Amino acid sequence: MDTIIEPFRIKSVEPLRLTSRAERERMIRDAHYNLFNLHADDVIIDLLTDSGTSAMSAAQWAGLMRGDESYAGSPSYFRFEEAVKELMPFDHVIPTHQGRAAERILTGLVAGPEAKIPSNTHFDTTRANIEATGAEAVDLVIPAGRRPEHAHPFKGNMDLDRLETFLDEHGASVPIVMLTVTNNTGGGQPVSMANIRGAKALCEKHDVPLVLDACRFAENAYFIKQREDGYGDRSVKRIVREMFSHADGMTMSAKKDALVNIGGWLALDDDAWAREARNQLILTEGFPTYGGLAGRDLEAIAVGLQEIVDEDYLEYRMASTRYLGEALTDIGVPIVKPVGGHAVYIDARRLLPHLDPLDYPGQALAVALYTTGGIRGCEIGSVMFGRQPDGSEEPADMELVRLAIPRRVYTQSHIDYVIECFEEVYARRDELCGYEITEEPPQLRHFTAHFRPTAPAAVHQATQTES
Ligand code: F0G
């Protein structure tokens, strides 16, 4: 059979509230054109994030009842620890309430004003946590990773030549090297095993630990199986174990590839770092056998980690993301190629060439998708990355809109509806106007900034020509 079906059926449903265009135009205006400000039940198809939005399985819901809420030494912790170590054999596994809490503890331990931390591309919370210590976060993805239209099987790879030069020049200031798998900010693109191995070899030469930001490790492993020579016959589980065998630690948001709604962890081999991390954990998260989580959350993660490496699930997951990407390409919508694991990224700079990067073309597209069909996507461009640490503004490398697909939540007809909305937005793309920011916080501004539409595009272009 060629049809790749959802390898599950639905036992419990959530209603969707269908809204009219007039209602949506009012609601987005009231939300200051920031999609994070919308009430989620005013959204029809929510592709804001794949984080914490997974549908849990019957086995996970059953696991919740098994959750043991003892303050210390809960059996749920030990089941969680065993499930993590089955895939990621680190000595110390420290639960946190989500990924950024693990990042906060790790950067608190290793970073500081003189430090420089390279990665393929840091996710925004990782970058913010590094910068909050006064350290510098450096992105060294391969050049293809910055070119949306350029197809490459492992576009998330670290540029190993640049990493080598960087370590030669700054090695003494580099406490850790990070690798984000898959590279979310660069389009959900995978990192090859050869690249992980290569990064590790350079780290060893300079005696620097390698830490994986591993939120989407299973999707990364499936890409390795499909695309990298020598891995086609290996099980995803074995590939996952090999990925982590090259690392000295990991940060994890369980809200992605552990198929749960909350949770994360920090895992390390180094005993002294782990001891200090647990001390910090107690200050802000909780006792080391629960971190920021309830025992039932730990149970759900333990089951989720078994389900995520199921290859029928991963085949369906990749096929459904690809289905959306290919349909958008057929319409003429430029996307980041190849399609990533958890999301389709639209190249808003190419779709809306009449807008300058600092007119926020990604925001313009995201707002248009909401008013047209109640679809919520996420700008990943100059709104998210344009503000510099000194408060100035620079265009980001790319102006993208991410449509992230929650795991096991939407069916193919939901995705067909998204495709139809795109047909309409594409037809009137020349009419979309830009946006300006009227209010913003100093950090992570995309979550709370207020926007105002600038003049309709035609007027806008005319004024720019005049001035
Ligand atoms: N690292 C990566 C690569 C991520 O994608 C995220 C979260 C985090 C770290 C932080 O984890 O949210 O549990 O604190 N990404 C979400 C997203 C928010 O929508 O891509 P967290």
Side-chain angles (χ1 to χ4, degrees):
M1 292 290 169
D2 288 336
T3 309
I4 297 170
I5 60 166
E6 288 89 353
F8 50 81
R9 55 187 182 178
I10 296 165
K11 183 182 297 211
S12 178
V13 298
E14 282 183 278
L16 292 176
R17 191 170 85 79
L18 302 179
T19 50
S20 69
R21 184 188 288 245
E23 274 179 283
R24 294 191 292 269
E25 281 172 356
R26 180 180 52 72
M27 292 184 296
I28 193 70
R29 196 175 53 240
D30 292 349
H32 302 283
Y33 299 96
N34 186 331
L35 291 110
F36 285 96
N37 283 338
L38 290 168
H39 289 209
D41 52 5
D42 296 333
V43 173
I44 299 177
I45 307 285
D46 204 346
L47 307 181
L48 184 65
T49 180
D50 62 322
S51 179
T53 50
S54 302
M56 292 211 296
S57 66
Q60 285 178 297
W61 285 109
L64 294 196
M65 277 310 291
R66 216 180 159 195
D68 178 298
E69 305 304 340
S70 304
Y71 190 93
S74 159
S76 299
Y77 169 77
F78 295 107
R79 278 190 283 272
F80 155 81
E81 186 193 32
E82 192 186 334
V84 173
K85 287 189 174 180
E86 178 69 20
L87 296 174
M88 300 121 180
F90 295 110
D91 289 344
H92 305 279
V93 183
I94 300 166
T96 58
H97 77 273
Q98 61 184 88
R100 67 198 71 183
E103 293 163 6
R104 174 87 174 142
I105 292 171
L106 179 68
T107 53
L109 283 183
V110 306
E114 301 303 317
K116 296 176 195 297
I117 302 185
S119 181
N120 45 355
T121 314
H122 290 285
F123 182 66
D124 58 352
T125 58
T126 325
R127 171 173 286 278
N129 271 306
I130 291 170
E131 289 174 353
T133 70
E136 193 186 337
V138 183
D139 294 338
L140 298 178
V141 72
I142 54 169
R146 295 182 200 269
R147 290 171 43 205
E149 71 288 2
H150 185 93
H152 182 294
F154 291 103
K155 245 177 142 170
N157 278 356
M158 176 87 97
D159 186 331
L160 296 179
D161 292 336
R162 285 178 70 205
L163 179 63
E164 184 161 27
T165 311
F166 192 85
L167 289 171
D168 284 342
E169 279 175 23
H170 305 289
S173 317
V174 179
I176 54 171
V177 170
M178 296 189 77
L179 257 182
T180 313
V181 296
T182 57
N183 188 24
N184 183 6
T185 310
Q189 301 293 333
V191 178
S192 70
M193 192 72 85
N195 195 254
I196 299 176
R197 229 184 282 120
K200 175 63 181 170
L202 291 173
C203 286
E204 263 179 356
K205 197 169 134 202
H206 290 265
D207 201 20
V208 177
L210 177 66
V211 176
L212 299 189
D213 172 350
C215 303
R216 299 176 180 86
F217 68 91
E219 292 173 6
N220 199 91
Y222 195 71
F223 279 124
I224 290 177
K225 183 178 169 104
Q226 285 182 317
R227 297 182 184 169
E228 192 160 352
D229 282 349
Y231 288 91
D233 293 333
R234 294 207 198 158
S235 71
V236 164
K237 194 167 161 183
R238 209 173 135 201
I239 296 171
V240 168
R241 288 179 66 91
E242 185 186 335
M243 282 165 55
F244 289 98
S245 74
H246 300 304
D248 304 284
M250 68 181 288
T251 54
M252 177 72 188
S253 169
K255 301 170 75 171
K256 286 86 169 172
D257 271 358
L259 289 168
V260 295
N261 308 118
I262 196 71
W265 64 88
L266 170 65
L268 294 165
D269 277 335
D270 188 273
D271 297 339
W273 278 6
R275 198 175 319 114
E276 186 48 32
R278 289 196 174 101
N279 291 340
Q280 292 303 317
L281 190 82
I282 289 176
L283 284 180
T284 58
E285 292 283 298
F287 190 75
T289 58
Y290 72 87
L293 295 171
R296 55 179 168 268
D297 298 325
L298 295 166
E299 293 282 352
I301 294 173
V303 178
L305 285 178
Q306 290 162 20
E307 294 177 352
I308 197 76
V309 289
D310 178 283
E311 299 193 15
D312 290 338
Y313 160 77
L314 285 167
E315 184 184 10
Y316 135 79
R317 169 80 174 154
M318 299 303 172
S320 56
T321 313
R322 208 168 48 235
Y323 175 79
L324 174 58
E326 284 170 359
L328 296 187
T329 304
D330 289 346
I331 295 171
V333 175
I335 62 165
V336 174
K337 289 189 179 147
V339 176
H342 66 295
V344 174
Y345 292 67
I346 293 126
D347 184 348
R349 191 177 286 181
R350 276 211 293 149
L351 181 68
L352 306 175
H354 60 286
L355 297 180
D356 286 337
L358 295 181
D359 288 331
Y360 308 126
Q363 191 66 20
L365 174 61
V367 171
L369 285 171
Y370 179 70
T371 50
T372 306
I375 298 160
R376 178 156 70 167
C378 182
E379 193 266 9
I380 302 192
S382 293
V383 173
M384 194 180 268
F385 298 116
R387 193 188 154 101
Q388 304 304 302
D390 66 4
S392 65
E393 181 100 14
E394 296 253 342
D397 284 344
M398 298 188 270
E399 303 297 332
L400 305 178
V401 171
R402 183 182 74 171
L403 304 177
I405 320 286
R407 294 169 182 76
R408 307 191 292 205
V409 171
Y410 292 115
T411 62
Q412 184 162 336
S413 60
H414 289 120
I415 298 300
D416 285 335
Y417 169 83
V418 173
I419 294 164
E420 211 180 316
C421 292
F422 260 96
E423 283 168 358
E424 191 185 321
V425 171
Y426 185 77
R428 53 184 187 83
R429 63 193 183 283
D430 298 340
E431 296 157 29
L432 302 193
C433 65
Y435 283 81
E436 62 188 359
I437 294 179
T438 56
E439 225 182 276
E440 61 178 308
Q443 273 154 3
L444 298 176
R445 67 176 178 181
H446 52 286
F447 290 128
T448 53
H450 290 183
F451 297 88
R452 180 167 57 207
T454 51
V459 181
H460 186 77
Q461 263 184 334
T463 18
Q464 282 203 328
T465 323
E466 277 163 29
S467 58

